[in-house]
Amino acid sequence: MTLTLTTVSCLEDNYAFIIGNPVTREAAVIDVPNAGPINAAVTGGNWRLTTVLLTHHHWDHVDGLDDLDGRDNLRVIGAKADAHRLPPLDLALSEGDSVTICDEDAVVLDVSGHTVGHIAFYFSTSGYAFTADSLMAMGCGRLFEGTPAQMWDTMQKLRKLPPQTIICSGHEYTQTNAAFAATLDPDNRALRSRIEGIKAARATGRPTVPSTLALEMETNPFLRADQPDLKTALGMQDATDTAVFTEIRTRRDNF
Ligand code: ZN
Ligand code: FE
């Protein structure tokens, strides 16, 4: 059985995700930018929300928690390493821990870089990875706390998931990410066709998130820092993968 996935637009450009067991109607939400749209999606989908999964401590991922309907009965799960700066947790987890959510097992990955202590949740049966501000559609989160080497480790860890994995990231930054990717990788055909799809989606207000890992591997420069064609395009064919990743991140910061 596959959990039902609902993408919920929140605030200016954030996404929360609701996963639900279609048989029991139990549901969980991943990140809570603000409560209104999530409460509406839970009610509209006829879900029974029991669980909140938090990826990292930034306000735009946690601030809606106390305004969720039925807040007092919700089980809140987040990173043990960040327990001191997250809302109070009922369950604190670390890399490699697993937890059963809506009758499906999820495993925790440490995906530090954007923050140190950022985690992702991977549901292998349904094939969902909730990566928030680590791996994003054609991008990765800005390095507020971690080093480029740390984020590059995170990218390599996420690359090992099955290619069909559905990457659920935390923001609608895809158009800017795409425009940036095109500056590095102008001859990448997969990238050019993805950009057309993104333009069409945004023109009608549709989210470009989630995407698949396979598509990210072809088009996301942050996953491709070790690829000879990209290194050559940057004039860095002899540089280390970490140096190339660092250069890509720096260029994106200044884009
Ligand atoms: Zn963040
Ligand atoms: Fe964020």
Side-chain angles (χ1 to χ4, degrees):
M1 191 198 57
T2 301
L3 297 176
T4 303
L5 178 71
T6 307
T7 304
V8 184
S9 292
C10 293
L11 302 174
E12 283 286 295
D13 56 28
N14 275 81
Y15 290 118
F17 299 91
I18 295 170
I19 48 172
N21 181 317
V23 178
T24 66
R25 307 309 298 173
E26 183 187 1
V29 64
I30 297 88
D31 285 344
V32 195
N34 59 330
I38 296 168
N39 287 334
V42 168
T43 305
N46 193 27
W47 298 112
R48 180 171 48 86
L49 188 69
T50 63
T51 308
V52 179
L53 304 175
L54 299 175
T55 60
H56 67 296
H57 74 284
H58 282 159
W59 68 273
D60 63 313
H61 297 256
V62 304
D63 265 13
L65 177 63
D66 285 340
D67 294 323
L68 287 176
D69 292 339
R71 163 69 181 98
D72 291 346
N73 296 315
L74 296 173
R75 178 172 65 140
V76 181
I77 299 173
K80 189 181 248 172
D82 270 348
H84 62 284
R85 58 183 183 173
L86 285 166
L89 299 177
D90 299 298
L91 183 61
L93 300 174
S94 303
E95 164 128 315
D97 287 346
S98 49
V99 57
T100 304
I101 308 289
C102 303
D103 304 309
E104 183 170 325
D105 288 341
V107 64
V108 172
L109 303 171
D110 181 306
V111 292
S112 288
H114 175 69
T115 64
V116 174
H118 192 312
I119 55 175
F121 298 91
Y122 173 55
F123 291 71
S124 61
T125 303
S126 291
Y128 303 140
F130 296 95
T131 57
D133 298 356
S134 59
L135 176 60
M136 307 179 94
M138 271 189 278
C140 73
R142 202 176 263 269
L143 301 178
F144 286 109
E145 296 179 0
T147 62
Q150 230 167 356
M151 188 61 107
W152 175 235
D153 280 349
T154 288
M155 295 295 114
Q156 290 172 279
K157 189 183 293 185
L158 292 167
R159 280 200 316 197
K160 294 189 185 117
L161 296 175
Q164 68 273 20
T165 301
I166 295 166
I167 302 296
C168 303
S169 54
H171 289 269
E172 183 59 61
Y173 293 160
T174 317
Q175 271 187 304
T176 312
N177 287 342
F180 172 68
T183 67
L184 306 181
D185 222 1
D187 299 328
N188 182 331
R189 291 180 58 192
L191 176 60
R192 286 209 307 268
S193 82
R194 188 176 182 189
I195 289 173
E196 291 311 309
I198 284 162
K199 273 189 198 146
R202 295 313 293 158
T204 54
R206 278 180 289 129
T208 63
V209 170
S211 58
T212 65
L213 182 60
L215 185 58
E216 295 305 329
M217 300 270 271
E218 286 187 316
T219 57
N220 187 328
F222 296 98
L223 287 174
R224 294 165 45 74
D226 58 346
Q227 298 300 303
D229 57 334
L230 189 53
K231 285 189 174 183
T232 303
L234 289 164
M236 298 180 77
Q237 46 274 46
D238 299 323
T240 64
D241 301 344
T242 304
V244 173
F245 183 90
T246 305
E247 173 66 18
I248 297 170
R249 189 59 253 178
T250 303
R251 289 192 189 198
R252 177 64 180 87
D253 290 344
N254 297 318
F255 181 69

